[in-house]
Amino acid sequence: MAELDVKRIDMSNPLISVIIPNYCHAQYLDQRIQSVLNQTYDNFEIIILDDCSPDDGASRAVIEKYRENSHVSHIVYNETNSGSTFIQWNKGIELSKGDYCWIAESDDFCEPNFLETLVAQVMSYPDVSVAYCIPQFVDKEGQLIRPIPESEQIKIIKGDDFVRTPMSYTNAVWNASAVIFKREYVLEIDKCYMDYVAAGDRLFWALLAKKGNVVHVPKRLSWFRQHGNEVSPAKKRQGITGREDYWIVRYMEQHGWLNWLESIRARHIYLLDVERFQYDNETIRQELLNQWSYNGKMPIRLIHLIGRCYMSYLSRVGRKN
């Protein structure tokens, strides 16, 4: 493997560590890696991780084509499957030497100006921990589906505000491939996100947001592939995602990130989803309803009433401002 010079040139040209965690995406890997190599911003290293893909060497065959590329600093093949996307993220981050990191998921791809655009924004605003764009959905063939409108209005959001709204009740960062984040801050945050298998990314972004500011660039620079065999829908039907979302809100409550009304709002919104969603069985729904209602200690109808009133109040205040 070629030796990579990872010296920081200066902070107007930060080194970006691009982490590509792969599991059985051999058919998409070339497009993913090429979309990184074709970036107009070229001060980056690439770290490729394969989580013991059981594909008869198909992933390895693609990966090995890039071993001598000057941008590739590490290629790591796990001997056993880690069982967690987030463990792989952490492995890549620990290997990285960049000022910022980018988790470039192995089945996604991006525009050539992805890094150039986001790096310009993190350099333009103070103390940015996370910068993200719109991840545009495409099908397994890479064709556009569900177009999401763009905007010229770049937003800089205080990390504390971003956690309270919207991260307390949803994951506003839909796709890791659409994000760059400050490596220094990742090394400081709680590693509890690695204990999750479904919603750990939401906690990861929230923990990072608490370290600085968040920049949202409403441009379609990253392409988020939907190929019909994603594991996320199954995890939600099984209640895994709902349980993890609950423990993330509890984490926020226990660490004082949310006041009481913000906690009620989060529980109100999640309860609405639990009431409407089709789980694998009714026992899962009842378990989640019980959790979100303070383990059955607060009537669900009261949580809904307080949540709606609080959101209505915030809406009125927002219109006045």
Side-chain angles (χ1 to χ4, degrees):
M1 186 182 305
E3 184 69 22
L4 179 72
D5 183 1
V6 294
K7 291 186 298 182
R8 292 176 178 80
I9 297 173
D10 59 61
M11 283 311 294
S12 64
N13 188 37
L15 177 67
I16 310 299
S17 292
V18 186
I19 299 160
I20 304 178
N22 175 68
Y23 183 72
C24 294
H25 285 154
Q27 68 269 44
Y28 306 124
L29 260 177
D30 260 325
Q31 185 179 23
R32 167 79 281 179
I33 297 171
Q34 286 295 329
S35 74
V36 174
L37 291 173
N38 290 334
Q39 289 297 296
T40 54
Y41 184 93
D42 65 0
N43 190 29
F44 60 86
E45 65 168 339
I46 297 177
I47 298 166
I48 304 175
L49 309 173
D50 183 78
D51 202 7
C52 196
S53 295
D55 57 7
D56 296 323
S59 290
R60 185 183 290 259
V62 177
I63 293 168
E64 286 302 313
K65 293 195 301 183
Y66 297 95
R67 181 171 288 277
E68 299 305 320
N69 188 283
S70 61
H71 281 289
V72 175
S73 60
H74 297 84
I75 292 175
V76 180
Y77 298 105
N78 285 355
E79 294 184 1
T80 58
N81 182 263
S82 71
S84 169
T85 297
F86 312 119
I87 290 174
Q88 288 293 90
W89 287 16
N90 185 68
K91 177 182 286 188
I93 292 164
E94 289 183 343
L95 289 170
S96 70
K97 297 181 181 178
D99 301 290
Y100 292 86
C101 293
W102 169 25
I103 306 290
E105 300 284 10
S106 55
D107 54 342
D108 299 331
F109 58 101
C110 60
E111 292 299 301
N113 62 335
F114 171 85
L115 278 181
E116 180 181 357
T117 303
L118 291 189
V119 168
Q121 296 309 316
V122 299
M123 295 296 99
S124 298
Y125 296 101
D127 201 23
V128 173
S129 57
V130 176
Y132 70 107
C133 67
I134 296 174
Q136 180 60 64
F137 294 89
V138 296
D139 63 18
K140 63 181 180 181
E141 305 299 332
Q143 299 302 308
L144 182 66
I145 55 176
R146 294 180 4 213
I148 300 171
E150 295 184 304
S151 169
E152 297 298 324
Q153 187 179 4
I154 293 171
K155 296 180 181 178
I156 176 74
I157 310 160
K158 292 181 179 178
D160 287 348
D161 293 340
F162 188 69
V163 169
R164 287 193 295 268
T165 305
M167 294 299 283
S168 65
Y169 52 79
T170 190
N171 188 353
V173 184
W174 300 341
N175 178 229
S177 293
V179 190
I180 66 172
F181 52 91
K182 197 165 185 176
R183 178 181 181 273
E184 173 189 347
Y185 289 157
V186 181
L187 302 178
E188 299 171 356
I189 65 173
D190 191 338
K191 295 298 187 292
C192 58
Y193 68 90
M194 290 193 293
D195 298 332
Y196 293 72
V197 297
D201 54 337
R202 176 171 158 240
L203 182 55
F204 181 81
W205 305 128
L207 287 161
L208 271 178
K210 290 291 290 184
K211 303 293 290 186
N213 296 317
V214 176
V215 175
H216 180 217
V217 182
K219 297 293 183 183
R220 293 192 293 258
L221 303 174
S222 181
W223 301 87
F224 185 13
R225 198 184 304 270
Q226 310 294 293
H227 40 76
N229 58 353
E230 294 86 0
V231 297
S232 297
K235 288 178 180 176
K236 183 165 184 180
R237 291 194 308 271
Q238 295 161 10
I240 296 170
T241 305
R243 295 182 195 105
E244 292 191 356
D245 280 330
Y246 168 76
W247 285 111
I248 289 170
V249 171
R250 287 292 294 130
Y251 183 97
M252 293 178 177
E253 292 169 342
Q254 291 167 354
H255 287 77
W257 294 2
L258 308 176
N259 64 33
W260 185 73
L261 284 172
E262 290 162 347
S263 296
I264 289 288
R265 174 180 59 187
R267 289 169 181 269
H268 160 62
I269 292 171
Y270 275 113
L271 277 166
L272 288 174
D273 183 62
V274 171
E275 290 166 344
R276 298 166 181 165
F277 190 74
Q278 186 64 48
Y279 294 98
D280 283 350
N281 58 68
E282 191 60 26
T283 300
I284 296 170
R285 185 192 318 280
Q286 292 305 317
E287 174 199 340
L288 292 172
L289 289 174
N290 185 65
Q291 282 186 320
W292 286 111
S293 61
Y294 295 94
N295 292 318
K297 295 177 182 177
M298 187 176 215
I300 290 174
R301 64 182 181 276
L302 180 58
I303 294 174
H304 283 322
L305 175 61
I306 297 171
R308 285 194 298 267
C309 289
Y310 180 54
M311 292 172 72
S312 176
Y313 164 76
L314 292 176
S315 179
R316 291 196 305 272
V317 171
R319 286 196 297 269
K320 288 180 182 179
N321 294 337

